[in-house]
Amino acid sequence: MVESNARFTYIHHYTTLLDTHHLVVRPNASVTFFLFISRFLLVVIPFLLLLLKDKSATLLLWILLVIALLIKSLLWKHVDKESIIIMPSFGVQLETQYRSGSKFRRFIPMSKILKPVLNECVTPVTCYWSLSLIVRGEEELTLVFKELHPPIKMLVPIWKALCTAADCR
Amino acid sequence: MSNQRRHRILMVSDFYYPNFGGVENHIYYLSQCLLTLGHKVVVMTHAYGNRSGVRHVTGGLKVYYVPWVPFIMQNTFPTLYGTLPIIRTILVREKISLVHGHQAFSTLCNEALMHARTMGYKVVFTDHSLYGFADVGSIHMNKVLQFTLADVSQAICVSHTSKENTVLRSGLPPEKVFVIPNAVDTAMFKPAAERLSSDEIIIVVISRLVYRKGADLLVEVIPGVCRLFPNVRFIIGGDGPKRVRLEEMREKHSLQDRVDMLGAVPHAKVQSVLISGHIFLNSSLTEAFCIAILEAASCGLLTVSTRVGGVPEVLPDDMIVLAEPDPDDMVQAIAKAIQILPQIDPQNMHLRMKKLYSWHDVAKRTEIVYDRALKCSDQNLLERLSRYLTCGSWAGKLFCLVMIIDYLLWHLLQLWKPDAHIEEVPDITYGQQEERPSNFD
């Protein structure tokens, strides 16, 4: 099952052993354009450094450094995909994939999950829905999607699947 | 109730639970009764400590504790435009039809009303206090109020004195201002099961010990009463900067055995303190309404109060003895109250209060104001700006500039995140009526 909106694509795979829910960030035109320009400049600037005199070289080095840092900041913590893999009677694996290629994984045994909950979160500027797990022995709620804030219609099927798996409907 | 008349109200104020006071009580009880009338009510306030985010309380009342840090006297820091994104989000996601702001010196209330008008929502404002005209603070607050009320749909005051004060301060047309008094939760304030002995007369004082509440007046009144009546004892509940003066008075006149200082009294224990006395003494120097005397009367206590603000409008003449805010006059009023004390029947007084002051009645009257507000014609920006220009030669132009910037910022927000991208919240519907609080009167 695939569902999309302006920001996210929700993909659901279901087998008897695994229930996988992916939340993929849709490409943002402005970010893609900026990355293209930045990469282009990163390739062009070294050639310009060879051609130009020493006076301009320091300036170009600074420009190079700034562009490199911008690309790093865009790639490093930018999330491409967040997934939840539900293994009934075994556990839940939460996965975050960053644009840089690095992945963060966390496994929570089913015996430790007390209840999945849908929360309304409030920040000083906005409100959004979040899906969390009440985990035994932990003071704070565990967020299923740490970085992304998908709409409620994408969270409800995941919440229902978690409720079924955790047997707390 | 027909679906057309069902309002979706956003109550906004910096003052809400877990903070305790008249405004907080008013918002809570009014919201609960509006819910029983079939309206949807959402409350928006700032976070209190770790109480942040969304909370659902009794009867399906939803409260947004926005994580804005209180700045001074439980008020959020005035940013003018900082609250626009969150207010817009709440208004859209809760499908609000009307915004109701409470208390003139609530920053959040003033900003919410401003943003709501920019977005074309109908707004109602309730003033809970009286203000002066002479001191710097009052002059500043009156100008802010003039700005807020320049474009308000309807306004509510808690007494006729308060209405007069608000109209004078804000320049609002009197026909736009309604008077709806406060009420009391009589179920919470019941008299003692057995009548107290008249051998010793106990006078109860429960208030914040500050200048405005007449703590300095108490310092002079208590020794005078104790001299005249050897069988009178005082119980003083409350805390504040003037507590030291009262303790000094107690030491000076050797009244330690006749004046009990309880310190701060939690709201849940107010009733148990009230029912231990015969007379309730209110020495306020300014008061728009004074809910404390309603609570005391509901507990069957005869009230002695200063004749200030909206106090004379609150209780029938046989339930209250009024005096000028002067020590000698107050002592005479207490003497008069002691004389008529045998005629007072606490149970009868409680039943009368139950009929006179009902939150359901307040809610029904407020509902009429909401209906009136929603019938007000929609006005474009230019028509609205003309109202602000009348606020003063310099202030008018400044207010217009503030509103133009607000309008532009709102349109920028609309471009950045259109209303269609803000998720609407599903309404919680109660299957059984019993799940809602049935009575607050």
Side-chain angles (χ1 to χ4, degrees):
Chain A
M1 188 190 103
V2 179
E3 199 177 303
S4 291
N5 75 356
R7 289 178 65 213
F8 305 106
T9 300
Y10 165 63
I11 305 156
H12 181 203
H13 295 301
Y14 179 75
T15 63
T16 47
L17 294 172
L18 293 175
D19 187 4
T20 313
H21 303 263
H22 300 289
L23 205 65
V24 184
V25 178
R26 294 190 77 179
N28 187 318
S30 55
V31 173
T32 310
F33 176 73
F34 181 75
L35 279 171
F36 171 75
I37 293 292
S38 304
R39 281 167 180 165
F40 173 75
L41 288 171
L42 267 180
V43 174
V44 170
I45 285 167
F47 289 106
L48 289 170
L49 280 170
L50 295 167
L51 297 168
L52 293 168
K53 291 172 188 175
D54 293 336
K55 282 181 184 176
S56 305
T58 50
L59 178 70
L60 285 165
L61 274 167
W62 277 110
I63 293 166
L64 189 74
L65 187 71
V66 168
I67 291 167
L69 285 168
L70 277 169
I71 287 177
K72 191 193 169 190
S73 67
L74 273 169
L75 288 174
W76 212 250
K77 277 288 169 189
H78 202 286
V79 175
D80 257 350
K81 187 171 85 170
E82 285 204 274
S83 308
I84 175 168
I85 302 158
I86 303 164
M87 294 160 265
S89 72
F90 184 56
V92 165
Q93 182 162 293
L94 309 175
E95 194 176 289
T96 307
Q97 188 177 310
Y98 295 95
R99 192 165 278 181
S100 59
S102 63
K103 282 186 181 181
F104 168 83
R105 289 189 184 94
R106 186 188 172 183
F107 179 77
I108 303 161
M110 204 58 83
S111 58
K112 285 188 87 180
I113 297 169
L114 296 171
K115 199 175 184 181
V117 286
L118 274 171
N119 278 337
E120 279 180 272
C121 299
V122 182
T123 72
V125 290
T126 191
C127 307
Y128 60 90
W129 289 93
S130 77
L131 177 58
S132 316
L133 301 171
I134 302 173
V135 179
R136 187 182 277 109
E138 287 188 22
E139 274 187 30
E140 290 190 358
L141 293 171
T142 303
L143 289 171
V144 171
F145 301 114
K146 280 200 307 171
E147 309 287 341
L148 307 177
H149 307 315
I152 187 81
K153 64 177 179 181
M154 291 181 185
L155 290 174
V156 168
I158 307 168
W159 173 70
K160 283 180 178 174
L162 280 165
C163 283
T164 308
D167 198 31
C168 66
R169 251 203 301 201
Chain B
M1 174 176 278
S2 68
N3 220 37
Q4 287 167 302
R5 274 192 63 227
R6 189 175 183 266
H7 303 310
R8 304 176 73 88
I9 307 132
L10 177 70
M11 300 272 184
V12 190
S13 184
D14 275 306
F15 312 104
Y16 193 67
Y17 295 138
N19 203 41
F20 267 102
V23 181
E24 292 84 345
N25 265 354
H26 184 102
I27 296 169
Y28 177 76
Y29 285 113
L30 176 61
S31 299
Q32 290 295 347
C33 291
L34 285 167
L35 284 165
T36 62
L37 289 169
H39 303 292
K40 178 180 175 168
V41 186
V42 176
V43 178
M44 181 189 173
T45 187
H46 64 73
Y48 282 86
N50 61 358
R51 191 185 287 244
S52 181
V54 176
R55 300 283 174 110
H56 290 267
V57 296
T58 317
L61 177 62
K62 188 175 183 179
V63 186
Y64 282 88
Y65 288 97
V66 182
W68 286 86
V69 182
F71 160 60
I72 190 166
M73 289 164 68
Q74 286 305 337
N75 266 294
T76 45
F77 187 80
T79 58
L80 278 181
Y81 308 113
T83 49
L84 177 60
I86 186 71
I87 287 165
R88 176 180 170 253
T89 304
I90 293 169
L91 290 172
V92 174
R93 78 197 305 261
E94 295 291 346
K95 304 183 282 289
I96 297 298
S97 59
L98 188 137
V99 180
H100 189 168
H102 293 262
Q103 194 64 318
F105 56 82
S106 164
T107 311
L108 196 61
C109 161
N110 286 303
E111 289 185 14
L113 296 186
M114 175 180 93
H115 301 319
R117 283 306 294 131
T118 297
M119 290 181 259
Y121 289 88
K122 299 290 189 287
V123 299
V124 173
F125 170 77
T126 298
D127 204 351
H128 294 262
S129 301
L130 295 177
Y131 289 88
F133 298 89
D135 58 292
V136 177
S138 294
I139 292 165
H140 168 71
M141 272 315 303
N142 293 346
K143 211 68 192 168
V144 171
L145 188 75
Q146 197 178 13
F147 166 59
T148 303
L149 299 192
D151 196 23
V152 83
S153 309
Q154 303 289 329
I156 298 169
C157 289
V158 291
S159 65
H160 288 90
T161 307
S162 174
K163 174 180 173 172
E164 202 174 295
N165 182 263
T166 302
V167 167
L168 285 169
R169 282 158 55 216
S170 66
L172 199 65
E175 60 273 13
K176 266 193 172 187
V177 187
F178 293 80
V179 176
I180 303 172
N182 276 306
V184 63
D185 181 5
T186 50
M188 213 174 142
F189 294 93
K190 287 177 178 171
E194 288 176 31
R195 198 166 178 160
L196 296 171
S197 163
S198 297
D199 299 340
E200 185 182 44
I201 291 159
I202 296 163
I203 298 172
V204 179
V205 179
I206 298 179
S207 84
R208 282 180 290 117
L209 303 178
V210 293
Y211 170 76
R212 192 177 76 81
K213 294 286 181 183
D216 298 295
L217 204 54
L218 283 176
V219 169
E220 295 180 62
V221 169
I222 292 169
V225 173
C226 290
R227 259 196 312 274
L228 281 172
F229 303 97
N231 64 329
V232 166
R233 193 159 67 83
F234 283 85
I235 294 174
I236 301 170
D239 209 343
K242 297 284 180 181
R243 183 176 175 168
V244 179
R245 278 208 69 194
L246 282 158
E247 282 174 344
E248 282 172 357
M249 171 273 293
R250 195 168 65 156
E251 298 290 320
K252 185 184 172 183
H253 297 277
S254 304
L255 297 171
Q256 290 91 334
D257 58 331
R258 294 180 68 186
V259 179
D260 288 346
M261 302 280 287
L262 303 179
V265 180
H267 194 257
K269 290 182 181 174
V270 168
Q271 187 257 357
S272 59
V273 175
L274 286 171
I275 60 168
S276 63
H278 300 83
I279 294 167
F280 180 76
L281 179 61
N282 170 53
S283 58
S284 293
L285 301 179
T286 173
E287 204 75 75
F289 186 83
C290 192
I291 294 175
I293 64 176
L294 281 190
E295 293 170 348
S298 183
C299 288
L301 276 77
L302 176 63
T303 302
V304 175
S305 177
T306 44
R307 192 185 279 106
V308 292
V311 172
E313 301 172 37
V314 177
L315 290 172
D317 293 343
D318 60 328
M319 286 189 187
I320 189 166
V321 179
L322 294 166
E324 293 306 315
D326 166 74
D328 296 334
D329 204 29
M330 289 284 282
V331 172
Q332 283 181 334
I334 291 166
K336 187 185 173 185
I338 290 166
Q339 277 181 344
I340 62 169
L341 205 56
Q343 299 157 36
I344 300 297
D345 178 11
Q347 296 296 338
N348 179 45
M349 197 183 265
H350 175 76
L351 291 170
R352 281 175 71 192
M353 288 301 293
K354 204 170 183 174
K355 284 178 188 170
L356 283 168
Y357 294 97
S358 149
W359 279 112
H360 283 294
D361 179 49
V362 171
K364 279 171 186 164
R365 289 163 78 172
T366 307
E367 193 180 31
I368 295 162
V369 179
Y370 291 161
D371 291 335
R372 286 277 296 264
L374 288 166
K375 280 174 189 163
C376 290
S377 59
D378 291 314
Q379 289 177 311
N380 62 35
L381 181 67
L382 288 171
E383 286 174 312
R384 286 174 48 237
L385 287 178
S386 63
R387 289 186 184 185
Y388 291 103
L389 279 170
T390 61
C391 294
S393 53
W394 282 102
K397 291 175 183 73
L398 182 68
F399 294 163
C400 279
L401 183 67
V402 167
M403 291 312 289
I404 290 163
I405 295 167
D406 199 45
Y407 188 79
L408 292 170
L409 285 171
W410 172 53
H411 277 281
L412 274 171
L413 276 174
Q414 295 276 67
L415 286 169
W416 178 63
K417 194 178 184 182
D419 286 0
H421 290 188
I422 297 170
E423 286 182 274
E424 288 183 352
V425 175
D427 293 339
I428 296 170
T429 49
Y430 284 78
Q432 293 168 301
Q433 193 62 29
E434 295 85 67
E435 286 187 55
R436 287 222 187 104
S438 57
N439 191 18
F440 282 96
D441 49 338

